[in-house]
Amino acid sequence: MTIPQDKIDEIRERINIVEIISEYVSLKKSGKNHTGLCPFHSEKTPSFTVNDEKQIFYCFGCNTGGNAFTFLMRQENLSFPEAIRTLARKAGIDIPQDRRPTTEENQRELMFLANHAASEYYHQYLLTAPDAEKARLYIKGRGLKPETIKSFKIGYAPPGRNTLSNFLIKKGISLELAEKAGLINRHGNNNYDRFKNRVMFPISDTRGRVIGFGGRAMGNEEPKYLNSPTSPLFKKGEVVYGMHQAKGPASAKGFVLVVEGYFDLLMLHQYGFPNAVATLGTALTTEHLRKLKGYTKEIYTLFDSDKAGIAAAMRSLPMFVEEDMRARVVIIPADMDPDEILVKKGAVVMAEYIQDAKPVMDFFLGTVRAKFNINTSDGKLSFLEEVAPYIAAMKNVAERGIYIEKIAGMLHIGPDVILSTIRAAVEPAPRKGMQQHTPPASEIISKGHSTKAEETILKVILAYPRLYTEAVGSAVEMFETDFLKEAGKLIVDTLRKANGEKIEVSHIVDLANSENAKNWLLKASVEDDESIKEEPQKILEDCCKKVLMDVRLKKDRTALLKTLKESEKKGDMDSFKAAAESYLSIKRGC
């Protein structure tokens, strides 16, 4: 039975989000908001904000936000109905109980049960079934020992199309729930096992509950790796393999090793590196980092040293910078995988590679340096353009200064030139009433500083809807940052209907399709930006001009590069500095 909407609305009106969250987080009053340390990521300075009036929370550190239902779902790992019923009890509201075993409230536990049964089935099949000999030989050939197989419950999915389905039926487990858990596919009255003739890796949450599986083909079948589909229990981009086993050692050692493959992870554990996890063969994501931050102080990436591995390490840099996460890159020979090194060279050699791991920023600078001829002005400028946003986004001032010195040494240019160039690349021109702010690294890198102008436009028209004009709407249409363009369109559409009246940000959050747009709107709903309160109309006009100017100024690079080359011919670094600053000033519309 579905919980009636009027009951949900009644619960929403009765509960107080500050009281609910205070049971988990120590909150302090700060102006219109309450602040505290975020329960969803590790931090020393409070960035978690709760707005009593709007009944919304938002963390400026990890960009998580929502209402009381959302908070409880994430904090207690509850389904929506479970969160509703929990808050209903707190509010003293009676909700009819639904006793049917297939309701959403019970489905999660039943899916855990189905996954556990499947895990045991695959594991026992590997150990005992005669037709699993091929899988046993394959696993032995990969170097896994019996104790590793047992510890991680490695299994084998037989080639039959519905052997698991039949097993689950005998166990009395609903095939409907097995399908939702990603174990089988159903077409009409026919059931088909999702995993067939594959080595199976059960994937557990931090509590040791099986939430999904990874299956490895033993021959040339495609795909080589097949993971469980997204389900109420499993989201591939948020889960790391081996976290249940690695969380204790990672906390004790102070760092976690991140690899890309199941076998790399298993071999590391087998050879004495229990603080290792794997990303299920996918790229490292921000969600992965936030999961890991609660257990460790530093991340060591251990990817293959081929082009793909280097690219993966490079892609991770913006996330490490934005999350203010210490990270290192373990560099191994280009012709060897991590598990090959362990088998052929042993744990001592691997430990040496780990000991020699480079800070991720050093690895990045070396990789970018190899792309350009930094003996020329063109190469110097190209190098600076690529690295400046990352350096500027670093939150540790002392660390930023160290890297400015390093770059100065690489380019044989004074640190003052590097510093002024970095500032020109990412900072807005000073303006009375405008608070200086460095946008997140990923946004600076992808869109340049225009992101700040776009954000400011939206903040102003949210705070002062009467200032909205169709000229502002035209500027919004030219936004380059996708999630701000989406948020802007929702705001503009709402303002057009509201005829200058105040609008509630929380009302349009649910209309957003992307998580980035939703998070920005939630952030805007709790943020009290002092920088737009002085001369808001002038700020709005200037930011609209900035957005429109950025569109026109993209064609100026060639002319400035020519000027830079001419300045080098003079042999005068002052000329280079002036030309570089002129280029970057024009680039930001000054």
Side-chain angles (χ1 to χ4, degrees):
M1 181 174 64
T2 303
I3 300 175
Q5 184 61 46
D6 62 334
K7 286 291 184 182
I8 296 176
D9 294 339
E10 184 182 358
I11 296 166
R12 198 191 307 270
E13 292 173 5
R14 287 258 203 109
I15 61 172
N16 184 292
I17 192 171
V18 174
E19 293 177 0
I20 298 300
I21 294 179
S22 291
E23 295 180 13
Y24 303 89
V25 179
S26 178
L27 297 175
K28 292 184 179 180
K29 183 73 170 164
S30 177
K32 295 181 180 180
N33 299 319
H34 292 74
T35 60
L37 295 175
C38 180
F40 304 128
H41 80 288
S42 178
E43 63 177 7
K44 295 181 180 179
T45 303
S47 59
F48 184 82
T49 304
V50 185
N51 187 286
D52 192 3
E53 178 186 355
K54 298 175 182 177
Q55 291 293 295
I56 282 176
F57 75 89
Y58 184 81
C59 176
F60 291 86
C62 67
N63 303 319
T64 300
N67 55 26
F69 303 131
T70 311
F71 177 86
L72 208 59
M73 289 167 66
R74 175 149 186 170
Q75 181 67 23
E76 295 288 354
N77 196 24
L78 302 178
S79 66
F80 181 66
E82 289 169 339
I84 292 290
R85 293 186 186 280
T86 300
L87 291 176
R89 287 192 293 270
K90 290 179 180 292
I93 298 173
D94 292 327
I95 294 179
Q97 290 294 316
D98 185 355
R99 299 298 181 185
R100 291 181 299 169
T102 56
T103 61
E104 183 180 353
E105 187 172 9
N106 296 324
Q107 282 182 357
R108 288 169 55 83
E109 288 304 318
L110 293 173
M111 281 190 279
F112 278 126
L113 177 64
N115 280 341
H116 174 75
S119 176
E120 288 296 327
Y121 173 75
Y122 292 140
H123 183 57
Q124 292 302 319
Y125 204 99
L126 173 69
L127 297 181
T128 62
D131 60 347
E133 183 63 20
K134 178 183 177 182
R136 289 192 287 268
L137 290 173
Y138 174 80
I139 292 172
K140 183 178 180 180
R142 294 299 299 260
L144 294 186
K145 295 179 180 179
E147 54 267 32
T148 304
I149 296 170
K150 181 179 180 181
S151 176
F152 284 84
K153 290 286 186 180
I154 309 304
Y156 172 64
R161 73 175 190 173
N162 51 20
T163 54
L164 177 65
S165 301
N166 293 335
F167 171 79
L168 295 176
I169 290 172
K170 291 179 182 178
K171 283 282 188 179
I173 294 173
S174 162
L175 293 186
E176 180 183 356
L177 285 173
E179 181 184 25
K180 289 183 178 180
L183 295 169
I184 67 171
N185 298 317
R186 303 175 75 201
H187 299 285
N189 294 325
N190 297 316
N191 305 308
Y192 305 94
D193 295 351
R194 176 177 176 82
F195 300 98
K196 295 181 285 290
N197 192 30
R198 289 176 178 270
V199 175
M200 298 298 293
F201 306 94
I203 302 165
S204 301
D205 63 12
T206 55
R207 295 166 62 180
R209 300 175 299 179
V210 180
I211 58 176
F213 292 88
R216 208 298 186 182
M218 294 176 289
N220 297 321
E221 298 94 338
E222 292 293 339
K224 182 167 69 173
Y225 283 97
L226 179 66
N227 290 313
S228 293
T230 298
S231 76
L233 305 183
F234 181 77
K235 293 179 177 60
K236 186 170 65 172
E238 299 179 4
V239 176
V240 289
Y241 178 57
M243 195 66 227
H244 176 60
Q245 293 87 348
K247 61 182 181 180
S251 178
K253 291 178 178 293
F255 72 96
V256 62
L257 280 166
V258 179
V259 294
E260 292 182 295
Y262 295 97
F263 280 106
D264 288 338
L265 174 283
L266 294 168
M267 294 298 283
L268 282 164
H269 277 252
Q270 186 168 290
Y271 276 80
F273 302 92
N275 56 325
V277 298
T279 60
L280 311 186
T282 64
L284 194 65
T285 67
T286 301
E287 287 72 22
H288 288 143
L289 293 187
R290 290 172 184 169
K291 296 284 187 185
L292 295 170
K293 283 173 78 171
Y295 299 97
T296 186
K297 298 177 181 178
E298 193 166 15
I299 291 177
Y300 284 39
T301 62
L302 178 52
F303 301 146
D304 294 346
S305 290
D306 55 11
K307 288 184 179 180
I310 291 173
M314 293 284 281
R315 285 195 303 269
S316 66
L317 178 64
M319 294 183 291
F320 288 127
V321 172
E322 189 169 335
E323 292 296 314
D324 195 22
M325 186 76 186
R326 291 173 57 193
R328 291 177 177 267
V329 178
V330 181
I331 301 173
I332 60 176
D335 59 343
M336 299 185 76
D337 296 331
D339 63 332
E340 289 181 294
I341 291 174
L342 290 166
V343 172
K344 296 178 180 179
K345 297 189 176 183
V348 173
V349 172
M350 176 61 79
E352 291 174 353
Y353 288 132
I354 294 171
Q355 181 68 33
D356 294 337
K358 282 188 175 183
V360 66
M361 187 61 75
D362 288 350
F363 175 81
F364 169 70
L365 293 179
T367 304
V368 175
R369 179 178 181 175
K371 291 168 56 177
F372 304 113
N373 180 2
I374 60 173
N375 293 319
T376 67
S377 61
D378 200 345
K380 286 181 173 67
L381 178 62
S382 296
F383 178 90
L384 282 174
E385 281 185 311
E386 188 155 342
V387 304
Y390 297 89
I391 303 299
M394 295 175 74
K395 295 179 174 63
N396 187 307
V397 177
E399 189 177 15
R400 188 190 312 148
I402 290 171
Y403 281 102
I404 287 173
E405 291 282 354
K406 286 188 177 183
I407 294 170
M410 285 184 186
L411 303 183
H412 303 292
I413 298 174
D416 60 323
V417 178
I418 305 298
L419 181 59
S420 62
T421 304
I422 289 173
R423 284 175 175 168
V426 297
E427 289 184 357
R431 175 195 303 287
K432 183 181 179 182
M434 289 290 283
Q435 189 177 32
Q436 301 304 306
H437 170 68
T438 301
S442 58
E443 294 173 10
I444 298 173
I445 293 159
S446 61
K447 297 298 181 184
H449 176 65
S450 62
T451 300
K452 175 63 177 175
E454 294 172 4
E455 281 195 291
T456 303
I457 290 170
L458 299 187
K459 287 181 180 180
V460 172
I461 60 176
L462 279 172
Y464 307 97
R466 59 183 175 76
L467 297 181
Y468 173 78
T469 65
E470 287 305 313
V472 175
S474 298
V476 171
E477 290 177 2
M478 304 189 77
F479 280 10
E480 293 187 326
T481 310
D482 292 339
F483 74 89
L484 290 177
K485 190 168 186 176
E486 179 186 352
K489 186 178 186 306
L490 291 172
I491 294 168
V492 168
D493 289 347
T494 305
L495 282 171
R496 285 171 176 162
K497 296 175 184 176
N499 295 319
E501 296 297 323
K502 182 180 179 182
I503 64 172
E504 291 293 338
V505 177
S506 58
H507 176 70
I508 61 175
V509 168
D510 291 337
L511 301 176
N513 292 318
S514 73
E515 285 301 314
N516 283 337
K518 287 182 180 180
N519 285 339
W520 188 89
L521 288 165
L522 285 166
K523 177 183 175 183
S525 71
V526 300
E527 197 172 44
D528 187 20
D529 194 341
E530 294 290 335
S531 69
I532 64 172
K533 293 183 178 179
E534 186 175 345
E535 301 182 291
Q537 184 165 355
K538 187 174 190 310
I539 291 171
L540 179 62
E541 291 172 356
D542 288 350
C543 286
C544 286
K545 289 178 183 177
K546 162 71 177 168
V547 169
L548 297 173
M549 187 180 298
D550 281 349
V551 175
R552 296 194 298 267
L553 289 176
K554 285 185 175 180
K555 299 179 180 180
D556 290 340
R557 188 177 191 275
T558 302
L560 262 295
L561 283 175
K562 182 179 179 180
T563 303
L564 282 166
K565 289 178 181 179
E566 291 175 353
S567 70
E568 185 172 23
K569 291 179 181 179
K570 299 176 182 179
D572 186 356
M573 290 315 300
D574 287 339
S575 299
F576 175 84
K577 177 180 177 180
E581 290 182 342
S582 296
Y583 165 69
L584 292 166
S585 294
I586 288 178
K587 186 178 178 183
R588 60 187 169 89
C590 294

